[in-house]
Amino acid sequence: MSPATGPAWDPQRYLAYADERGRPFLDLVGRVDAPDPRVVVDLGCGPGNLTSLLSDRWPGAVVTGVDSSADMITAASDRSRTGRLAFHRSDLRDWLSTANPGEVDVLVTNATLQWVPGHLELMPALVRAIAPGGWLAFQVPGNFDEPSHTLRAELADEPPYAEHTHGIADPRSHDAATYLRALQGLGCTVDAWETTYLHVLHGPDPVFTWVSGTGARPTLQALPADLRERFEDEFKRRLRVAYADEGRGVVLPFRRIFVVARTGS
């Protein structure tokens, strides 16, 4: 999910590696042992391809996908199912401020919280929205020290780009233990873990294609068109050095942090 005032998001670019992006979602939701929830919410639903899987898993539930990007919600709305699956546009913080306490049986937020500054402080509000005995499940990237991010940040700090990229959205996350302790302090039973996926990517400049749909997009959107092309060319060059293709695809290590918490009954 994008911040309410963030860059424009491209559903098609985001879906370029839909299978690889979807695997952590499946690993996350697979640990949610909710037999028959009535209300399921996906905060930061993006183009809705993964939200629809929640409707498939819990056919008796009303499933709602929420995202702050108009483009994402437009793409997701094609997947709506009358009475069962719907999408609407809202910023995550705004949604939390209006959610009825205890209304949601399963609250999922996948690769979203890293875009929300200070999101650890939102844990009480997230838990408050969940029914007694309900479930909170979220996943965030933990790869911000990898070249895919550090090279982008280093280049963005160089002239002539720095004057345009100062203060852009910068995704961040905590380690699994930090989330676990925060949610235990709120009375939840918590399962937290991390996994590093080794994605094998093919095609021209595949790591750039990956990050340009997510972590690098705010930087690219902040640049004027002429500088953006120069930036992209140099960024691709640096990524090719960091992620060499030896003829069998480029290996992109991607660490992700998972948390599944059950509220007290």
Side-chain angles (χ1 to χ4, degrees):
M1 188 182 95
S2 59
T5 57
W9 295 87
D10 183 344
Q12 294 307 312
R13 175 59 64 95
Y14 181 84
L15 290 169
Y17 290 108
D19 289 345
E20 290 85 353
R21 296 192 199 279
R23 183 176 170 189
F25 181 90
L26 296 175
D27 290 346
L28 174 71
V29 175
R31 302 289 280 271
V32 177
D33 190 21
D36 190 24
R38 296 167 301 160
V39 178
V40 176
V41 174
D42 182 7
L43 283 181
C45 65
N49 56 310
L50 299 176
T51 314
S52 64
L53 299 180
L54 300 177
S55 185
D56 294 336
R57 174 168 177 182
W58 292 299
V62 174
V63 179
T64 303
V66 179
D67 202 283
S68 65
S69 165
D71 290 334
M72 288 294 195
I73 289 299
T74 297
S77 295
D78 291 339
R79 306 176 190 272
S80 297
R81 301 169 187 171
T82 303
R84 290 186 50 213
L85 176 61
F87 299 90
H88 75 265
R89 185 185 182 192
S90 177
D91 178 75
L92 184 148
R93 290 181 185 271
D94 292 340
W95 183 89
L96 282 174
S97 70
T98 59
N100 294 323
E103 183 178 33
V104 182
D105 298 304
V106 176
L107 180 56
V108 176
T109 179
N110 180 64
T112 296
L113 292 176
Q114 75 275 9
W115 289 108
V116 183
H119 64 259
L120 195 65
E121 300 171 1
L122 294 180
M123 294 298 134
L126 289 165
V127 170
R128 194 160 48 243
I130 300 169
W135 298 79
L136 168 65
F138 65 86
Q139 174 269 127
V140 289
N143 67 331
F144 300 115
D145 292 330
E146 292 293 323
S148 54
H149 286 273
T150 60
L151 291 176
R152 185 266 310 160
E154 291 167 3
L155 182 58
D157 283 342
E158 297 176 6
Y161 312 116
E163 64 178 291
H164 301 283
T165 60
H166 178 72
I168 60 165
D170 189 22
R172 291 290 163 203
S173 64
H174 301 278
D175 60 30
T178 299
Y179 294 119
L180 182 146
R181 289 305 190 195
L183 288 164
Q184 282 182 329
L186 295 170
C188 297
T189 301
V190 187
D191 182 13
W193 72 99
E194 62 180 62
T195 298
T196 298
Y197 298 89
L198 298 179
H199 298 302
V200 180
L201 310 181
H202 299 276
D205 297 305
V207 178
F208 174 80
T209 299
W210 180 292
V211 299
S212 65
T214 51
R217 191 156 185 84
T219 300
L220 299 176
Q221 291 286 299
L223 294 169
D226 57 334
L227 286 182
R228 186 183 308 146
E229 184 174 355
R230 289 173 55 188
F231 184 96
E232 289 182 353
D233 288 343
E234 177 60 18
F235 189 25
K236 289 175 182 178
R237 187 192 69 77
R238 297 186 188 189
L239 288 172
R240 285 194 294 269
V241 173
Y243 299 94
D245 187 346
E246 300 174 353
R248 291 169 290 181
V250 172
V251 177
L252 176 67
F254 203 123
R255 173 175 169 254
R256 292 187 183 267
I257 297 159
F258 298 82
V259 179
V260 172
R262 191 172 191 189
T263 63
S265 56

